[in-house]
Amino acid sequence: MNIPLKTLEPAPLVDPFGRAITYIRVSVTDRCDFRCVYCMSEDMNFLPKQDLLTLEELDRLCSAFVARGTRKIRITGGEPLVRRGIMTLFRSLSRHLESGALEEVTVTTNGSQLAKHAKELADCGVKRINVSLDTLDEDKFKAITRWGDLGKVLAGIDAAQEAGLTIKINAVALKGVNEDEVPRLVEWAHGRGMDMTFIEVMPLGDIEAARVDQYWPLTQLKASLLERFTMEDIDYQTGGPARYVRVKETGGRLGFITPMTHNFCEGCNRVRVTCTGTLYMCLGQEDAADLRAPLRASPTDELLNDVIERAIARKPKGHDFVIDRTTKQPAIGRHMSVTGG
Ligand code: SAM
Ligand code: SF4
């Protein structure tokens, strides 16, 4: 009997805990035009450029994941929009949006280059972006980012909204730094029609400051917001780790990402790829797989798929971050700017 030949769809990626991997976060550079105090040390050593995946390799890698069921790609860094020629990658990934294979391409950015790129991002099918902004106070902004210019970021946010992009503002909760500003940030973001999310500092990479001096648990941040606002639980999910409420007074959505006080791993659907093609199955664990070698070893994707499959089969159940006075070493040696936030 003749069995008709049919192209078999590759099986989607499912980890040992039954979690389907449908989301990849891709760091396209470890470089940045800021030096945020919780993210980088002031004199960071960056990777030699030749170690980075080319834009074509990044596209091939993303496309291999799309072929295995990835529905959402977040481009991050370092600062993704400082990578030379980065719009080429957005342009080429847009074919997967047009074909319906991908639901979403999103970006996490510090906003410094948005005025230049917002319109083209929207043209490439990007609909939502995250902008990281921890304060609206110019001096504090300088103190936190060391090299950043608040005016440029605000102009970038204006340009992104004009281009029709939906923005979520992400702010890291920093003890003694933006504590007093939290209600103002919420009112400002919601007043401009933007969702807002607070994030707990994570112990990633060596920085000058002690983590414990930066760490402000969101339980405390939330308690302080409750003195001012009424929060209503809502059933809103973005597939990410944030838990959302609606602030009654502003009508806006407010998210909390609490890796330290509440472990968010059980619903994890994502993996991360660095700009050198290292696949991390968990933000908070060291285990990784090199995807650059199989990418470069063969023009077809069999080898690459094989390495990806074996890596997903090792995805751990969760992270085990700790911040306390006795833990002097970062829980994870690599900086957030390497793994991609
Ligand atoms: N440069 C872009 C930006 O700042 O949005 C993208 C990369 S950045 C590493 C991504 C996110 O990680 C930012 O929102 C930043 O605030 C956050 N981040 C960096 N280091 C962190 C840390 N140690 N703990 C928690 N969040 C961190
Ligand atoms: Fe750069 Fe983003 Fe890290 Fe700040 S948080 S130093 S903007 S990568």
Side-chain angles (χ1 to χ4, degrees):
M1 190 175 70
N2 275 339
I3 300 173
L5 276 177
K6 185 174 140 207
T7 321
L8 285 177
E9 287 284 314
L13 296 163
V14 179
D15 80 359
F17 303 96
R19 297 170 298 192
I21 306 307
T22 54
Y23 180 9
I24 57 168
R25 297 173 81 114
V26 183
S27 172
V28 295
T29 176
D30 62 332
R31 289 165 197 252
C32 187
D33 51 348
F34 291 5
R35 291 288 181 279
C36 301
V37 289
Y38 49 77
C39 178
M40 294 193 180
S41 65
E42 188 149 23
D43 57 341
M44 288 286 286
N45 290 319
F46 293 109
L47 294 161
K49 291 222 168 97
Q50 67 270 21
D51 286 2
L52 264 58
L53 296 185
T54 63
L55 293 168
E56 293 73 24
E57 286 169 335
L58 282 166
D59 177 73
R60 221 184 112 197
L61 192 140
C62 290
S63 302
F65 273 96
V66 172
R68 299 299 308 271
T70 285
R71 303 283 295 150
K72 179 169 166 181
I73 296 179
R74 178 172 295 280
I75 303 295
T76 178
E79 175 46 42
L81 300 184
V82 300
R83 169 121 190 210
R84 189 179 303 220
I86 190 62
M87 285 301 141
T88 319
L89 180 65
F90 286 104
R91 182 68 61 196
S92 64
L93 289 178
S94 69
R95 73 187 185 283
H96 298 305
L97 291 169
E98 281 157 19
S99 75
L102 255 185
E103 253 165 49
E104 249 198 327
V105 175
T106 57
V107 194
T108 301
T109 172
N110 65 22
S112 69
Q113 311 296 314
L114 264 181
K116 196 158 64 193
H117 293 307
K119 190 163 176 321
E120 197 173 355
L121 283 173
D123 286 347
C124 293
V126 174
K127 295 207 159 40
R128 298 193 306 139
I129 63 172
N130 288 355
V131 179
S132 305
L133 181 60
D134 308 319
T135 177
L136 291 167
D137 177 296
E138 228 164 286
D139 296 334
K140 275 189 195 171
F141 187 81
K142 261 260 150 5
I144 294 170
T145 63
R146 291 187 180 114
W147 296 3
D149 173 348
L150 179 62
K152 258 183 150 179
V153 173
L154 295 177
I157 290 174
D158 289 342
Q161 287 197 312
E162 266 164 44
L165 296 171
T166 299
I167 304 178
K168 178 162 78 80
I169 299 291
N170 283 341
V172 177
L174 295 165
K175 185 151 86 187
V177 179
N178 57 6
E179 271 185 53
D180 55 338
E181 229 193 312
V182 154
R184 179 173 168 225
L185 273 168
V186 172
E187 274 165 352
W188 169 79
H190 288 176
R192 295 190 55 145
M194 304 185 287
D195 286 353
M196 166 102 221
T197 294
F198 288 102
I199 309 172
E200 283 173 345
V201 147
M202 289 175 263
L204 300 170
D206 260 328
I207 51 165
E208 284 87 353
R211 288 286 174 202
V212 74
D213 294 335
Q214 300 181 328
Y215 175 53
W216 185 31
L218 290 195
T219 42
Q220 289 177 22
L221 177 145
K222 200 167 176 181
S224 88
L225 276 176
L226 279 169
E227 289 172 13
R228 180 88 158 258
F229 297 125
T230 318
M231 294 182 198
E232 297 164 343
D233 284 329
I234 51 172
D235 194 19
Y236 175 70
Q237 290 286 340
T238 57
R243 314 272 145 124
Y244 283 91
V245 296
R246 185 166 305 282
V247 177
K248 201 167 159 214
E249 289 75 5
T250 61
R253 265 190 307 245
L254 179 61
F256 300 95
I257 301 184
T258 54
M260 306 307 300
T261 50
H262 179 274
N263 192 310
F264 51 44
C265 305
E266 68 277 5
C268 184
N269 59 352
R270 69 202 50 198
V271 291
R272 293 173 153 84
V273 186
T274 71
C275 54
T276 56
T278 303
L279 173 68
Y280 283 101
M281 287 72 84
C282 173
L283 177 65
Q285 302 281 358
E286 301 283 9
D287 190 22
D290 173 29
L291 303 183
R292 189 177 55 187
L295 255 177
R296 291 186 174 169
S298 157
T300 61
D301 290 343
E302 284 85 10
L303 258 178
L304 177 65
N305 271 324
D306 186 46
V307 177
I308 292 174
E309 261 167 40
R310 279 187 284 129
I312 300 299
R314 307 199 299 271
K315 183 167 161 68
K317 197 164 178 200
H319 71 70
D320 25 55
F321 291 141
V322 183
I323 293 182
D324 64 31
R325 292 253 167 229
T326 50
T327 314
K328 294 278 182 270
Q329 295 298 316
I332 293 294
R334 59 186 192 275
H335 293 86
M336 187 76 150
S337 53
V338 172
T339 326

Coordinates of all heavy atoms in Angstrom, one line a residue, residues 200 215-226 256 258 261-262:
E200 N 10.5 43.3 41.5 CA 11.5 43.2 42.6 C 12.9 43.0 42.0 O 13.1 42.3 41.0 CB 11.2 42.0 43.5 CG 10.0 42.2 44.4 CD 9.6 41.0 45.2 OE1 10.0 39.9 44.8 OE2 8.8 41.2 46.1
Y215 N 16.9 46.1 47.6 CA 15.7 45.3 47.6 C 14.6 45.8 48.4 O 14.7 46.0 49.6 CB 16.1 43.9 48.0 CG 15.0 42.9 48.1 CD1 14.1 42.7 47.1 CD2 14.8 42.1 49.3 CE1 13.0 41.8 47.2 CE2 13.7 41.2 49.4 CZ 12.9 41.1 48.4 OH 11.8 40.2 48.5
W216 N 13.5 46.1 47.8 CA 12.3 46.6 48.5 C 11.1 45.6 48.1 O 10.7 45.7 46.9 CB 11.9 48.0 48.0 CG 10.8 48.6 48.8 CD1 10.4 48.4 50.0 CD2 9.9 49.6 48.3 NE1 9.3 49.1 50.4 CE2 9.0 49.9 49.3 CE3 9.7 50.3 47.0 CZ2 7.9 50.8 49.2 CZ3 8.7 51.2 46.9 CH2 7.8 51.5 47.9
P217 N 10.8 44.8 49.0 CA 9.8 43.7 48.6 C 8.4 44.4 48.2 O 8.0 45.4 48.7 CB 9.5 42.9 49.9 CG 10.6 43.4 50.9 CD 11.2 44.7 50.4
L218 N 7.8 43.8 47.2 CA 6.6 44.4 46.6 C 5.4 44.3 47.6 O 4.5 45.0 47.5 CB 6.2 43.7 45.3 CG 7.2 44.1 44.1 CD1 6.5 43.7 42.8 CD2 7.5 45.6 44.1
T219 N 5.6 43.4 48.6 CA 4.5 43.3 49.6 C 4.5 44.7 50.3 O 3.4 45.2 50.6 CB 4.9 42.2 50.7 OG1 6.3 42.3 50.9 CG2 4.5 40.8 50.2
Q220 N 5.6 45.3 50.5 CA 5.7 46.6 51.2 C 5.2 47.7 50.2 O 4.5 48.6 50.6 CB 7.1 46.9 51.7 CG 7.5 46.0 52.9 CD 8.9 46.2 53.3 OE1 9.5 47.3 53.1 NE2 9.5 45.3 54.0
L221 N 5.7 47.6 49.0 CA 5.3 48.6 48.0 C 3.7 48.6 47.9 O 3.1 49.6 47.8 CB 5.9 48.3 46.6 CG 5.6 49.2 45.5 CD1 6.8 49.4 44.5 CD2 4.4 48.6 44.6
K222 N 3.2 47.4 47.8 CA 1.7 47.3 47.6 C 1.0 47.9 48.8 O 0.0 48.6 48.7 CB 1.4 45.8 47.5 CG 0.0 45.6 46.8 CD -0.1 44.1 46.4 CE -1.5 43.9 45.8 NZ -1.7 42.5 45.4
A223 N 1.5 47.6 50.0 CA 0.9 48.1 51.2 C 0.9 49.6 51.2 O -0.1 50.3 51.6 CB 1.6 47.6 52.5
S224 N 2.0 50.2 50.7 CA 2.0 51.7 50.7 C 1.1 52.2 49.6 O 0.5 53.3 49.8 CB 3.5 52.2 50.5 OG 3.8 52.3 49.2
L225 N 0.9 51.5 48.5 CA -0.1 52.0 47.5 C -1.5 51.9 48.0 O -2.4 52.7 47.6 CB 0.1 51.1 46.2 CG 1.2 51.6 45.3 CD1 1.3 50.6 44.1 CD2 0.9 53.0 44.7
L226 N -1.7 50.9 48.8 CA -3.1 50.6 49.3 C -3.6 51.8 50.3 O -4.8 52.0 50.5 CB -3.2 49.3 50.1 CG -3.4 48.1 49.1 CD1 -3.2 46.8 49.8 CD2 -4.7 48.1 48.4
F256 N 2.4 43.2 39.3 CA 3.5 43.0 40.3 C 4.3 41.8 39.8 O 3.7 40.7 39.7 CB 2.9 42.8 41.6 CG 2.1 44.0 42.1 CD1 0.7 44.0 42.0 CD2 2.7 45.0 42.8 CE1 -0.1 45.1 42.4 CE2 1.9 46.1 43.2 CZ 0.6 46.1 43.0
T258 N 7.0 39.4 41.2 CA 7.6 39.2 42.6 C 8.4 37.9 42.6 O 8.0 36.9 43.3 CB 6.4 39.1 43.6 OG1 5.5 38.1 43.1 CG2 5.7 40.4 43.8
T261 N 9.4 37.4 46.5 CA 8.4 37.1 47.6 C 7.4 36.0 47.1 O 6.8 35.4 47.9 CB 7.7 38.3 48.0 OG1 7.2 39.0 46.8 CG2 8.5 39.3 48.8
H262 N 7.3 35.9 45.8 CA 6.3 34.8 45.3 C 6.9 34.2 44.1 O 7.1 34.9 43.1 CB 5.0 35.5 45.0 CG 4.0 34.5 44.5 ND1 3.9 34.1 43.2 CD2 3.1 33.7 45.1 CE1 3.0 33.2 43.0 NE2 2.5 32.9 44.2

